[in-house]
Amino acid sequence: MTVAATIGAPEAGRVMYEGLRRVHTEAESVRDIASLGAGAYAYTDAAGSHIVTYDANLYLTLTAAPLRLNANPDPALVEPTSRVAASALSALHG
């Protein structure tokens, strides 16, 4: 699993989230995730299962990817990955 956090100016997380959500919505099937940050969604592509979330100036992306080349990503990883995202948001807001 890869977790990438970006911390910026106030409301920077929302700007990144909204911009990339438009891009992901055009290319992938995006599913909203309730009760995670100020906004969150999930999608699965060839690279893995992804969670994207933000809260104020914090923007997180999490990717659960298979270790074997050409293995299919498992969409069932979205739920446990969202728990990791909630923990990361909480810890980084600390």
Side-chain angles (χ1 to χ4, degrees):
M1 179 173 298
T2 303
V3 178
T6 303
I7 300 172
E11 295 302 309
R14 181 185 57 79
V15 172
M16 287 180 66
Y17 174 87
E18 290 175 357
L20 287 172
R21 183 181 175 112
R22 282 191 294 275
V23 171
H24 292 143
T25 299
E26 291 175 6
E28 309 298 337
S29 177
V30 171
R31 299 175 311 278
D32 288 321
I33 300 174
S35 303
L36 180 58
Y41 63 91
Y43 67 96
T44 300
D45 63 10
S49 295
H50 309 274
I51 301 277
V52 179
T53 186
Y54 83 98
D55 198 4
N57 67 331
L58 177 59
Y59 174 83
L60 290 177
T61 58
L62 295 89
T63 301
L67 295 176
R68 289 177 289 130
L69 291 176
N70 301 319
N72 291 328
D74 185 356
L77 291 174
V78 169
E79 196 276 324
T81 303
S82 66
R83 289 195 308 266
V84 173
S87 294
L89 280 174
S90 177
L92 292 170
H93 276 295

